[in-house]
Amino acid sequence: MLSCPSHYHLHPPHPSLLLLRPNPISATISSCLRRHNSKSAALLLRHLSQDPISTPQHHEHSIPDEDEEEEKLKLLQLSLATKRTPQFPGSIYAQSPSDPDVHSSLPPLRTLLHGKPEENDDDDEEKIIMRALEIRRKVTAEIFKEAMRRGKFGITYATNLTNRLGSFIDYVMVEAAAMKRMPEFSESTFNFRAKTVIQDSNVVPLIRWLKHNSVSYPKIGKLICMSRGKIESIRRVVEWLKSIRVKGEFLGVALTKAGENILERNNDELDEIIEYLECNGVRRDWIGYVVSRCPPLLSYNMEEVRARVQFYLDMGMNEKDFGTMVFDYPRVLGQFTMEEMNEKVSYLKEFGLCTEEVGKLLAFKPHLMGCGIEETWKPLVKYLYYHGISRDGMKRMLMVKPIIFCVDLETTIVPKVRFFQDIGVRDDAIGNMLVKFPSFLTYSLYKKLRPVVIFLMTKAGVSEKDIGKVIALAPELLGCSIVKKLEVNVKYFLSLGIRVRQLGEMIADFPMLLRYNPDILRPKYRYLRRTMVRPLKDLIEFPRFFSYSLDARIIPRHKILVERRINLKLRYMLASTDEEFEKKVEAMVERRRRFEEAGLVDDDNLSDSEATEAPVDNINLSGSGAI
């Protein structure tokens, strides 16, 4: 009794132990009161109850079939544990605190891989091997996370980065396994070898340096996987990118999108590409921006770079045009294949453009090379043709506003055309509007076009029935600023004494009236009122008066009328060519002569004191209400 622990006397045997079969082994077990793990105890009983003469193979496969795979995986996880797992009294594979490694007290892994003489033995072995690799990969990932934590990285950052380093974790796992063949590492554990591989690669300091250079962890993970174990190549290429002024987050973008061979190219090859671009008009301080926006350029060899540059130079571009084109849209140089570039240039020539005109067009708007022929250009051409625009009209739109051929048809162009149709612009006038002023298709419908239309109808006096006519005749008004242009002109005309309704009629008759600068209108209005002595009504009836040059047309023709002592309405005075004006003047002079001769015949019977000469300027000579 003295050899037994005291708690044996305090706790009677559990009743379930009395149900075990009465044999010496079970009797011995039943006397033990420890019930920490009933499943482990049952497994131990089954192992101890086997026939001692049975073969080792039969002993190894004594686990029931339904629990066999689960038990194997559990034993496998214990075999690959990164550190000693906590054990409890009564465990089947108890580990002694003095054991230097967990493998010293666990069953060998090879005992799990002996298959049973059945047809699915190969499948079971393959599953167990794949499971072993998966567990080994998880162990390696945990070792890498531990190295990251020792490098002062946060748990979340280390976990997120490790999840993106699948191929690098495999590389560490393979290298650690290969180190087993080296004499100095033949007796070391896998954990020690994996830590050695990670430490020798200097990957943790590199991650710290990349993070300091604003490279995000997804791109760091991709770069490390791209390096295929050659970690130092990342630092070398990043230093080179910084030397050409690639900054911030674009370092990671340039490396990850430049292609997998970027880390294998030496600095001399990369410098040769940069020097060639500088010789063709790309300034040195633009190189960093160009490479940041078009990283695939670094993956080409010099022959392909020369072919791409020469493709644009053959279209008549000089070095200045080529350099600004590359700076405006770097993707034009390295993002597309040569076949795609040739197809797009050939399609642009179908609008009637020659090679030099295509070169000028691309130099002005290189974004055209980024548009698809089938996705963007052909639907737009079909839509424009539906609205009556010919090939020449499309050519003018392309040369005036080439960005129209880059925007989305359904979301940008169609809603604006429908808006103008709703306000009264006729369908046959839509095409003329687009050809005359294609720029309005690039304006915002709700921030630019609608406010201008509302201003014309509310502040400028344009009626609802005339607004469609005004927009169709002068779509350029849509590009004018309401505050800086339209409102200033409206205030000027109202200050002359013109009412809002009259101003609306004037705009409907001559919509371009609101586009003139008031500083140019003031001298013309002053000459009309003070020198020509014309009433304001004449200006309201003929607002196009402001469109004529004061020195070239208004003053010379007014002097002719004064010299000939005749008078004409502003419309007949200005809206004619010089030949037509001369004919009108001669006709009026002849008419006045006949009138005077008829008057002299009637005045023969009058005395000289009664004859008076009426002032010619006050006689209505036009016969239609002229002053």
Side-chain angles (χ1 to χ4, degrees), residues 189-251:
T189 62
F190 173 81
N191 293 8
F192 178 78
R193 286 180 271 123
K195 291 178 183 178
T196 304
V197 173
I198 294 174
Q199 184 176 1
D200 293 344
S201 66
N202 293 323
V203 65
V204 176
L206 176 66
I207 294 172
R208 173 68 64 185
W209 184 71
L210 291 175
K211 185 180 179 183
H212 178 72
N213 285 276
S214 303
V215 183
S216 61
Y217 76 86
K219 291 183 174 58
I220 292 177
K222 187 173 182 179
L223 285 176
I224 295 176
C225 294
M226 287 171 53
S227 66
R228 299 174 183 175
K230 300 178 181 179
I231 302 298
E232 289 302 322
S233 62
I234 300 176
R235 185 185 293 270
R236 175 183 58 82
V237 177
V238 170
E239 290 288 359
W240 183 84
L241 290 174
K242 292 174 66 176
S243 67
I244 61 171
R245 301 182 182 181
V246 178
K247 301 178 181 179
E249 61 181 5
F250 292 106
L251 287 170

Side-chain angles (χ1 to χ4, degrees), residues 360-564:
K360 293 179 181 179
L361 181 63
L362 293 178
F364 175 71
K365 186 56 65 176
H367 299 79
L368 288 170
M369 294 299 291
C371 303
I373 297 177
E374 298 293 337
E375 300 82 4
T376 305
W377 288 351
K378 287 187 177 180
L380 177 62
V381 169
K382 185 177 180 180
Y383 183 79
L384 297 178
Y385 181 78
Y386 172 78
H387 285 283
I389 301 177
S390 61
R391 191 187 72 165
D392 293 337
M394 295 180 192
K395 177 182 176 181
R396 184 183 185 279
M397 294 177 63
L398 183 60
M399 298 300 293
V400 173
K401 204 67 177 178
I403 193 63
I404 293 177
F405 285 75
C406 300
V407 299
D408 185 73
L409 176 64
E410 295 295 331
T411 60
T412 304
I413 297 178
V414 173
K416 295 169 185 176
V417 172
R418 289 177 180 173
F419 170 73
F420 291 117
Q421 290 174 339
D422 293 339
I423 64 175
V425 180
R426 297 183 305 180
D427 293 339
D428 56 352
I430 293 291
N432 294 331
M433 283 181 57
L434 296 175
V435 175
K436 186 177 182 180
F437 189 68
S439 300
F440 78 85
L441 292 177
T442 62
Y443 299 152
S444 172
L445 177 59
Y446 295 97
K447 295 181 180 180
K448 182 66 175 177
L449 302 181
R450 285 171 60 93
V452 170
V453 172
I454 293 173
F455 177 84
L456 293 176
M457 297 179 66
T458 56
K459 302 297 183 180
V462 180
S463 61
E464 183 177 354
K465 67 180 182 64
D466 293 332
I467 187 64
K469 173 186 174 183
V470 171
I471 297 299
L473 293 177
E476 297 86 353
L477 291 175
L478 299 171
C480 297
S481 171
I482 294 177
V483 177
K484 297 181 180 180
K485 189 67 177 180
L486 299 180
E487 190 173 359
V488 173
N489 284 14
V490 168
K491 288 182 178 180
Y492 171 73
F493 288 115
L494 295 180
S495 67
L496 302 180
I498 302 174
R499 298 179 180 179
V500 176
R501 181 182 59 81
Q502 294 174 332
L503 179 60
E505 295 176 355
M506 293 173 64
I507 295 173
D509 186 21
F510 185 57
M512 295 296 292
L513 186 67
L514 295 179
R515 296 198 63 208
Y516 293 115
N517 192 340
D519 295 335
I520 299 177
L521 300 180
R522 290 189 183 95
K524 297 179 182 180
Y525 178 77
R526 189 181 303 114
Y527 187 83
L528 176 72
R529 298 286 285 166
R530 297 181 181 180
T531 304
M532 298 178 65
V533 195
R534 297 277 184 148
L536 184 62
K537 181 180 178 182
D538 285 12
L539 182 63
I540 296 174
E541 291 179 353
F542 189 67
R544 292 178 182 268
F545 169 80
F546 289 112
S547 64
Y548 297 104
S549 172
L550 180 62
D551 297 328
R553 176 163 291 195
I554 297 177
I555 293 178
R557 293 195 177 185
H558 176 254
K559 288 183 178 180
I560 293 176
L561 294 180
V562 172
E563 292 173 356
R564 299 295 184 93

Side-chain angles (χ1 to χ4, degrees), residues 106-372:
L106 292 177
L109 184 60
R110 63 178 178 271
T111 60
L112 299 176
L113 302 180
H114 291 298
K116 293 183 292 187
E118 296 180 1
E119 296 180 356
N120 60 347
D121 286 349
D122 295 338
D123 296 338
D124 293 341
E125 289 184 7
E126 183 178 358
K127 290 180 181 179
I128 294 176
I129 293 174
M130 295 305 297
R131 179 62 177 170
L133 291 175
E134 182 180 353
I135 295 174
R136 184 69 80 184
R137 187 178 291 110
K138 291 181 179 179
V139 171
T140 309
E142 290 298 328
I143 295 173
F144 184 81
K145 291 179 184 178
E146 184 63 27
M148 290 282 292
R149 286 192 286 268
R150 287 197 302 269
K152 307 300 182 182
F153 287 95
I155 297 176
T156 303
Y157 188 90
T159 303
N160 293 338
L161 180 59
T162 304
N163 293 336
R164 296 177 179 269
L165 292 177
S167 60
F168 181 75
I169 296 299
D170 292 343
Y171 166 80
V172 174
M173 184 173 61
V174 172
E175 290 295 321
M179 290 174 65
K180 185 72 172 178
R181 302 176 181 177
M182 300 180 181
E184 60 271 23
F185 295 103
S186 60
E187 300 298 331
S188 61
T189 62
F190 173 81
N191 293 8
F192 178 78
R193 286 180 271 123
K195 291 178 183 178
T196 304
V197 173
I198 294 174
Q199 184 176 1
D200 293 344
S201 66
N202 293 323
V203 65
V204 176
L206 176 66
I207 294 172
R208 173 68 64 185
W209 184 71
L210 291 175
K211 185 180 179 183
H212 178 72
N213 285 276
S214 303
V215 183
S216 61
Y217 76 86
K219 291 183 174 58
I220 292 177
K222 187 173 182 179
L223 285 176
I224 295 176
C225 294
M226 287 171 53
S227 66
R228 299 174 183 175
K230 300 178 181 179
I231 302 298
E232 289 302 322
S233 62
I234 300 176
R235 185 185 293 270
R236 175 183 58 82
V237 177
V238 170
E239 290 288 359
W240 183 84
L241 290 174
K242 292 174 66 176
S243 67
I244 61 171
R245 301 182 182 181
V246 178
K247 301 178 181 179
E249 61 181 5
F250 292 106
L251 287 170
V253 174
L255 280 173
T256 54
K257 294 186 178 181
E260 296 184 357
N261 65 336
I262 182 63
L263 298 178
E264 300 176 0
R265 308 195 68 177
N266 55 48
N267 293 358
D268 295 336
E269 294 176 342
L270 299 176
D271 289 335
E272 187 178 2
I273 295 176
I274 301 305
E275 292 175 0
Y276 183 74
L277 293 178
E278 286 188 74
C279 295
N280 287 277
V282 183
R283 292 166 47 182
R284 181 71 182 183
D285 53 344
W286 293 352
I287 294 295
Y289 176 84
V290 172
V291 172
S292 301
R293 272 67 180 180
C294 186
L297 183 63
L298 300 177
S299 63
Y300 299 135
N301 53 39
M302 272 308 302
E303 290 74 13
E304 191 165 1
V305 173
R306 290 192 181 96
R308 289 175 175 273
V309 173
Q310 196 63 36
F311 174 81
Y312 294 102
L313 297 180
D314 290 342
M315 289 189 287
M317 294 187 189
N318 53 31
E319 294 181 358
K320 184 177 180 180
D321 291 339
F322 177 78
T324 55
M325 179 193 70
V326 173
F327 178 76
D328 290 341
Y329 190 61
R331 296 179 61 190
V332 74
L333 191 58
Q335 195 70 29
F336 314 105
T337 63
M338 294 295 294
E339 184 180 358
E340 292 176 343
M341 295 161 62
N342 282 300
E343 288 179 357
K344 293 174 183 179
V345 170
S346 299
Y347 189 85
L348 292 175
K349 290 181 179 180
E350 294 181 4
F351 291 97
L353 301 174
C354 62
T355 304
E356 290 73 15
E357 290 175 333
V358 173
K360 293 179 181 179
L361 181 63
L362 293 178
F364 175 71
K365 186 56 65 176
H367 299 79
L368 288 170
M369 294 299 291
C371 303

